[in-house]
């Protein structure tokens, strides 16, 4: 369109994220013709785009460019602030341009070289002359070879001072002419050269093809694994989709590719290369924690890489496909090695990552396999189906534990075992019973099962306690030699199992303690207890089948006495016979055997290892080593119900204890951690008790429970003593015994405290109940000192003050509460008189007294009575006077200052006062009008009277008006007479009466003040005129009056200027008075009566050229009407005029009033 | 401690009226109590009646200050407003200047207000009109004199002084020892 459109390249910075080229095109196309848009986005390492900008090639005029800049620059557009600058031309464009220019130049140079030179104004340096000839007119310029003019140079020789002359023409034979072929374009590709080479990596690298590094071989395998070879041959688009899918799955493959054999598929390789392949690489390096992040980063990398690559790929796909394949094949091998290294290093992390994995089946199966391979657990034969569903759960548990990877591994081992055990279910149980080496294995398995279950149970509930337990376990680990074993893998354990059937347990326990799986044991033990009880009850037998293993009673028996164990075993046997007789019998036997063999050691270890077991051990007098895979939920209820029965029938001393214990256990099976803590710490005890109180059963059994606890403690001591006697490792036991004793002591103390508390509570409650009778005590409580004294004895009673304080306070508070209520009752009478002013405080002096008293609190000693009161009336008066004087002074000062203020501000004096009055008025306005009050009569408006009066007045006026005519004629004549006469008349009038000033005033009013006044007088006039109208000589009269008028006026003005003012002011007053004062009004009216009559002639004179309202000349209309029915029309007209007049008057008055108000 | 003479009062009021105009009346004629001006050590204090009575018990040479110091009379019997009067000027100020947050500090260090720091100004402010300076959050920062009228302010370059500094609340820190 426009001739001066130029191609401009604009830099558009600060683009928002989602801006496309089309957007930019739209945006800029209104300024010019957008030819090319290039959007560039910068991204950081994470792949988050930091900034985006664009280059826009646009054909634009200068004006448009300016417009564009002004409109778009620094504007917000789609989430970014645009920044537009003129950019350098893209170098490609410039190159093209340069070439074109060069071309053009060449053409030009070929066509007209000289002309160009001339145009420039330069000298043609080419001369057709023999070389060596000097250029004419130019010194020191010679023509050299090819006709080119060159300067003669004077050069200083290198080492001498001599100056040499260098004449180029002499050396011109050295020169060579080079044909200029600048325009000849050599394609860029020609500038480079291709490296010939084979398919070996070096040659590829030389060729700049490093793409193979992007494709890890694992990926390849992955792809192959997940997809069949069929997919790999799909079209590019489909491949891409697949790749995306893969990238999603990329977390999974870790385990898979370890086992997977590396097999290269050429067809897939292409896929891999184009796709975002790097992810699998990263996966290999993943630790569980960083997996996600890694993925992200890798993805970002992929984006960048893949973009570039893809471009290249698409362009050269067809050409390079074959080489690609070969590359890929090679690449498969190389990176694989690298991966391997990583793989080894990441073995541990594998598990954690596997846990995180989403695809349970894949991972779990893999991990299982791996674990199986690693651990060489021969006996575990996992059916993958069984293990798979369980795995995720185990993962969860392990997850919650937050253990380091090593631990995780162990746990996983155990879990795998457990799974296997579970999978095999009952099969595992049977092999346990024969007391062979197999038994130990089975036991291990079963243990693991239990462990697992316990884990399952505990982990969701107890996370923190695990750590605590860890600590506890760690603190209590006193078995020296077996730590190593615990550290070792289970293989060692198994070996131990083979040799000795008990050692596995201990080691296992230790192991647990180490691994912080102790809660499991504890849970198991608790469950065990429950089980034992449940076994004693026939009802529970139905539940039994769920308990897969019932292993441990033996050691207990070994410790305690064979008799007890026998009894118990018998009992157990009885119960077990219901379920599966063989199992339990075998069990018992085994345990007995075991117990006899090395029950002591194991028991001691157990006690040492786990505090929880101590608790249990006193109860049962059995170290709860054996663990059961129990589903506690179902049993809890049963056990709780069973406890009642147990508590009721104590056939043996043990039973009740057990029952109560089991109570605790049953209730707390959910809160195992608490129980564990309770064993050691009284505080935790409390907590547990509180929990216990929640359940009704326990509350009912609270007291007995305490007793039981005590007994437990005693028993535990007994058991400990026994254990000491039995001790194989004495030192550990001793320590433990000490610890336990301490704990027991603490428990006892605590128990005592509890009892005392209870007593206190009871007493307090009793007090509360009977507070009416012992009012004294309450009063005592009310005063602080005595209450303290009371408290102290209670404290003495209690041995534990710390806990009692709370209770005490509670009691106190309650007592106080009641006291207050009592007080209220007693004070109810006082209340009525409370707010009455007491006689001594009445009056002014009394007030002072009260003030004085209020200063001194309520202390009797400092009470100020009337003696202290300086009740000198004189002083008061003086003070008052002083105050007054002060106030006066201040007021005076204030006035002064106000004056100054006014002078400063140039406000007139009245303003502030008026303001004050205004405010006062306002305040008055606020007064509520009460018609019943006589004072408020002021606020009433007496409009009716006014109106009536006005009516009366009007009537009078009308009458007057009617009367007027006769008078008017006289005046008329008066006016018509000499001016002198008039003056004289006037003067005489004034002198004679007060009345005449009214005429003057009225006349002047009509003259200048207001039209309304005129109207009033006019009306009178007219009324007068009507009469005169019908005289024959009306016209003459009019003329006369007209003539006379101005002279008159002027005279009146000059004569009666002062009077005029007076009269006007008086007029106003009049009107005011009319409204407000009735009598005055009447007077005024009286005054008025004569006035119109006298004023009439003057009024006559007031005639203007234009008609005014009620103009007398309009009266002539009557003449028009008179022919028809003049009398009727006239009467009606008169009536109307009178009414009109009244209206006018009213309006006039109102207007005047308004003016005044303003 | 004595009441001001008429001349003193006039001088002082003329000064104060530059800032609050007719609102000066409200200071003198307060509905909530009697307030008066007292001269003590050449300083003018605005005191409520009650405090005045209390202060009457203290001998003049021991009395440091009472009420609110509005300013002091110089040796040449001109009146100088102190920043302590800001509390009474700010609510009644007729002409106000708001300064931008960036310029607040500069002003509070005793510098004049430049146009660049001028956030807002009452229209029709004439040149050399007393103005109260506020932050953009309407916190009174001090007072001064308009160096340029509102119209001129529009035209001048950003570094031109718009308000001459007279007092600012930074003086509470800077002139702690002299402020009473």
């Amino acid at each position: 369109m426009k001739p001066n459109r130029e191609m401009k390249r604009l830099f558009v910075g600060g683009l928002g994220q989602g801006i496309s080229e089309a957007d930019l095109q739209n945006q800029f196309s209104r300024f010019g013709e957008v030819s090319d848009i290039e959007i560039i986005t910068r991204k950081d390492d994470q792949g988050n785009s930091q900034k985006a900008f664009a280059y826009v090639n646009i054909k634009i005029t200068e004006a448009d460019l300016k417009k564009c800049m002004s409109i778009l620059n620094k504007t917000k557009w789609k989430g970014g602030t645009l920044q537009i600058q003129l950019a350098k031309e893209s170098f490609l464009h410039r190159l093209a341009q340069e070439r074109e220019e060069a071309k053009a130049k060449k053409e030009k140079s070929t066509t007209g070289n000289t002309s160009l030179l001339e145009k420039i104004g330069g000298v043609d340096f080419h001369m057709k002359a023999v070389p060596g000839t000097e250029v004419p007119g130019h010194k020191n310029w010679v023509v050299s070879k090819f006709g080119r003019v060159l300067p003669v140079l004077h050069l200083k020789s290198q080492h001498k001072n001599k100056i040499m002359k260098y004449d180029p023409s002499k050396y011109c034979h050295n020169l060579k002419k080079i044909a200029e072929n600048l325009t000849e374009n050599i394609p860029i590709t020609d500038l480079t050269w291709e490296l010939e080479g084979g398919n070996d990596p070096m040659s590829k690298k030389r060729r700049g093809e490093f793409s193979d590094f992007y494709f890890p071989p694992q990926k390849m395998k992955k792809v192959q694994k997940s997809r069949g070879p069929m997919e790999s041959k799909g079209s590019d688009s489909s491949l891409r989709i697949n790749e995306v899918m893969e990238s999603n799955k990329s977390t999974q493959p870790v385990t898979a590719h370890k086992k997977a054999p590396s097999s290269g598929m050429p067809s897939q390789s292409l896929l891999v290369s184009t796709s975002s392949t790097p992810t699998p690489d990263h996966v290999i390096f993943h630790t569980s924690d960083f997996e996600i992040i890694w993925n992200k980063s890798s993805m970002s990398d992929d984006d960048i890489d893949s973009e570039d690559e893809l471009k290249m790929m698409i362009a050269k796909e067809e050409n390079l496909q074959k080489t690609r394949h070969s590359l890929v094949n090679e690449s498969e091998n190389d990176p694989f090695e690298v991966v391997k290294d990583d793989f080894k290093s990441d073995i541990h992390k594998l598990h954690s990552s596997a846990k995180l994995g989403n695809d349970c089946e894949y991972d779990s199966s893999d991990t299982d396999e791996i674990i199986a391979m690693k651990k060489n657990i021969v006996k575990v034969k996992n059916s993958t189906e069984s293990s798979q569903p369980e795995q995720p759960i185990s993962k969860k548990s392990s997850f919650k534990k937050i253990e380091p990877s090593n631990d995780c591994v162990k746990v996983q081992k155990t879990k795998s075992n457990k799974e296997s055990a579970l999978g095999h279910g009952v099969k595992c149980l049977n092999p346990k019973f024969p007391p062979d080496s197999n038994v130990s294995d089975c036991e291990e398995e079963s243990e693991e099962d239990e462990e697992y279950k316990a884990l399952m149970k505990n982990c969701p509930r107890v996370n923190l306690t695990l750590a605590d337990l860890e600590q506890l376990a760690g603190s209590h680990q006193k078995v020296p030699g077996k730590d190593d074993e615990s550290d070792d893998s289970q293989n060692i354990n198994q070996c131990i199992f083979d040799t000795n059937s008990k050692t596995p347990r201990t080691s296992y326990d230790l192991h647990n303690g180490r691994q912080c799986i102790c809660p499991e044991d504890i849970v198991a033990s608790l469950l065990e207890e429950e089980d034992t009880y449940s076994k004693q009850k026939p009802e529970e037998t139905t539940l039994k089948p769920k308990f897969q293993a019932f292993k441990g009673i033996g050691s207990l028996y070994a410790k305690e006495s064979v008799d007890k164990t026998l009894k118990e075993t018998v009992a157990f046997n009885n119960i077990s016979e219901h379920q599966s007789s063989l199992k339990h019998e075998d069990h018992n036997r085994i345990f007995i055997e075991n117990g006899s063999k090395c029950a002591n050691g194991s028991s001691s270890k157990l006690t040492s290892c786990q505090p929880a077991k101590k608790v249990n051990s006193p109860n049962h007098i059995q170290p709860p080593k054996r663990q059961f895979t129990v589903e506690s939920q179902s049993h809890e209820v049963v056990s709780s119900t069973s406890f009642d029965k147990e508590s009721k029938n104590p056939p043996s001393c043990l039973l009740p204890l057990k029952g109560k214990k089991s109570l605790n256990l049953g209730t707390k099976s959910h809160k195992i951690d608490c129980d564990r803590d309770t064993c050691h710490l009284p505080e935790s005890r409390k907590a547990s008790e509180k929990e216990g109180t929640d359940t009704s059963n326990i509350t009912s059994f609270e007291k007995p429970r305490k007793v039981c606890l005590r007994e437990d403690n005693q028993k535990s001591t007994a058991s400990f003593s026994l254990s000491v006697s039995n001790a194989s490792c004495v030192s550990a036991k001793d320590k433990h015994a000490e610890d336990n004793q301490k704990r027991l002591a603490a428990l006892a103390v605590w128990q005592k405290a509890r009892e005392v508390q209870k007593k206190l509570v009871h007493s307090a409650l009793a007090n509360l109940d009977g507070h009416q009778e012992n009012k004294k005590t309450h009063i005592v409580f009310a005063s602080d000192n005595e209450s303290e004294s009371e408290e102290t004895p209670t404290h003495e009673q209690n041995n534990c003050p710390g806990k009692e304080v709370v209770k005490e306070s509670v009691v106190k508070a309650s007592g106080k509460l009641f006291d207050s209520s009592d007080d209220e009752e007693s004070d109810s009478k006082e209340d009525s008189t409370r707010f009455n002013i007491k006689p001594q405080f009445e009056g002014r002096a009394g007030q002072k007294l009260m003030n004085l008293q209020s200063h001194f609190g309520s202390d009797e000693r400092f009470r100020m009575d009337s003696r202290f009161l300086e009740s000198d009336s004189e002083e008061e008066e003086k003070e008052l006077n002083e105050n007054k004087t002060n106030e006066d002074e201040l007021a005076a000062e204030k006035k002064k200052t106000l004056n100054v203020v006014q002078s400063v501000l140039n406000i007139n004096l009245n303003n502030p006062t008026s303001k004050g009055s205004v405010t006062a008025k306002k305040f008055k306005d606020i007064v509520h009008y009460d018609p019943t009050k006589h004072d408020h009569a002021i606020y009433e408006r007496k409009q009716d009277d006014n109106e009536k009066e006005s009516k009366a007045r009007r009537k009078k006026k009308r009458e007057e008006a009617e009367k007027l005519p006769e008078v008017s004629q006289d005046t008329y004549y008066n006016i018509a007479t000499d001016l002198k006469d008039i003056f004289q008349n006037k003067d005489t009038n004034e002198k004679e009466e007060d009345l005449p000033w009214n005429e003057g005033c009225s006349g002047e009013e009509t003259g200048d003040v207001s039209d309304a006044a005129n109207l009033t007088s006019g009306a009178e006039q007219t009324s007068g005129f009507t009469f005169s109208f019908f005289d024959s000589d009306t016209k003459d009269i009019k003329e006369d009056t007209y003539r006379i008028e101005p002279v008159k006026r002027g005279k009146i003005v000059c004569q009666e200027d002062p009077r005029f003012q007076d009269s006007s002011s008086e007029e106003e007053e009049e009107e005011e008075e009319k409204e407000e004062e009735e009598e005055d009004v009447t007077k005024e009216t009286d005054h008025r009566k004569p006035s119109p009559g006298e004023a009439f002639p003057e009024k006559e004179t007031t005639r203007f050229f234009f008609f005014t309202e009620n103009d007398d000349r309009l009266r002539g209309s009557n003449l028009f009407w008179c022919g028809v029915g003049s009398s009727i029309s006239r009467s009606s007209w008169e009536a109307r005029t009178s009414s009109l007049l009244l209206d006018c008057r009213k309006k006039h008055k109102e207007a005047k009033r308004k003016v005044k108000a303003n | 401690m004595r009441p001001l003479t008429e001349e003193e009062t006039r001088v002082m009021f003329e000064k104060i009226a530059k800032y609050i105009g007719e609102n000066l009346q409200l200071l003198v004629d307060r509905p909530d109590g009697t307030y008066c001006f007292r001269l003590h050590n050449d300083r003018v204090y605005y005191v409520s009646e009650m405090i005045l009575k209390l202060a009457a018990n203290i001998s003049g040479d021991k009395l440091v200050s009472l009420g609110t110091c509005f300013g002091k009379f110089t040796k040449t019997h001109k009146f100088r407003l102190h920043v302590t009067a800001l509390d009474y000027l700010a609510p009644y100020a007729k002409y106000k200047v708001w300064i931008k947050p960036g310029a607040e500090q500069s002003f509070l260090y005793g510098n004049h207000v430049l146009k660049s720091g001028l956030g807002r100004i009452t229209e029709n402010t004439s040149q050399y009109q007393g103005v109260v300076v506020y932050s953009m959050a309407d916190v009174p920062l001090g007072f001064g004199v308009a160096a340029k009228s509102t119209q001129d302010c529009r035209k001048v370059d950003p570094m031109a002084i718009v308000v001459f500094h007279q007092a600012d609340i930074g003086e509470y820190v800077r002139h702690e020892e002299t402020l009473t």
Side-chain angles (χ1 to χ4, degrees), chain A residues 107-258:
Chain A
E107 284 169 12
K108 269 189 185 176
S109 66
T110 51
T111 53
N113 216 354
T114 55
S115 65
L116 188 86
L117 276 173
E118 280 165 16
K119 264 187 211 165
I120 295 164
V123 185
D124 186 9
F125 280 91
H126 292 268
M127 288 186 78
K128 299 254 172 176
V130 182
T133 55
E134 282 202 352
V135 178
H138 291 273
K139 207 187 166 189
N140 287 336
W141 285 84
V142 291
V143 178
S144 75
K145 210 177 174 184
F146 309 121
R148 182 165 175 77
V149 177
L150 295 173
V152 175
L153 302 177
H154 296 274
L155 298 175
K156 195 183 168 190
S157 64
Q158 268 189 328
H159 303 293
K160 301 158 201 171
N161 289 330
K162 199 179 164 189
I163 291 174
M164 281 181 7
K165 188 184 174 187
Y166 173 78
D167 190 353
S169 63
K170 303 257 167 74
Y171 309 95
C172 59
H173 51 273
N174 299 339
L175 298 176
K176 223 183 227 178
K177 191 173 185 179
I178 298 167
E180 39 182 346
N181 55 347
L182 290 172
T183 54
E184 192 180 322
N185 287 339
I186 303 165
I188 295 170
T189 51
D190 291 353
L191 292 176
T192 60
W193 54 93
E194 205 169 359
L195 277 178
E196 297 299 325
N199 277 341
D200 58 319
M202 275 306 280
S203 59
K204 270 171 212 156
K205 276 177 189 171
R206 271 182 206 151
R207 267 176 275 158
E209 292 161 346
F210 303 101
S211 58
D212 41 2
F213 288 110
Y214 294 123
F215 334 131
Q218 288 82 17
K219 221 306 147 67
M220 303 303 308
K221 291 162 218 157
K222 262 278 101 160
V223 176
Q224 290 150 14
K225 253 199 155 186
S226 60
R227 281 184 241 136
M230 317 272 290
E231 287 178 335
S232 63
K233 286 169 188 173
S235 65
D236 277 351
S237 62
S238 66
L239 290 177
R240 286 197 78 173
I241 296 160
N242 288 332
E243 288 154 16
V244 176
M245 304 256 297
E246 277 224 328
S247 63
N248 292 336
K249 287 177 187 173
S250 60
T251 52
Q252 309 169 0
V254 191
T255 53
H257 56 68
K258 287 165 198 163

Side-chain angles (χ1 to χ4, degrees), chain B residues 94-115:
Chain B
K94 303 201 77 182
Y95 295 95
K96 304 178 182 182
V97 165
W98 288 264
I99 56 178
K100 290 174 184 167
E104 273 175 27
Q105 196 184 36
S106 168
F107 180 74
L108 292 183
Y109 281 146
N111 299 317
H112 302 307
V113 178
L114 304 181
K115 197 214 169 183

Side-chain angles (χ1 to χ4, degrees), chain B residues 153-165:
Chain B
C153 284
R154 293 175 196 274
K155 295 166 196 164
V156 295
D157 62 317
M159 295 312 286
I161 293 171
V162 169
V163 176
F164 293 121
H165 171 272

Side-chain angles (χ1 to χ4, degrees), chain A residues 828-839:
Chain A
S828 57
K829 291 163 196 168
E830 286 177 28
D831 279 337
S832 58
T833 60
R834 186 168 284 171
F835 299 106
N836 293 342
I837 297 168
K838 287 167 186 169

Side-chain angles (χ1 to χ4, degrees), chain A residues 890 893-894 897 900-901 903, chain B residues 10 13 21 28-29 36 38 49:
Chain A
L890 285 172
E893 197 188 319
K894 196 174 164 185
T897 52
V900 175
V901 166
S903 66
Chain B
R10 176 178 297 281
F13 281 178
V28 178
D29 191 12
C36 54
R38 283 286 179 278
E49 188 190 359

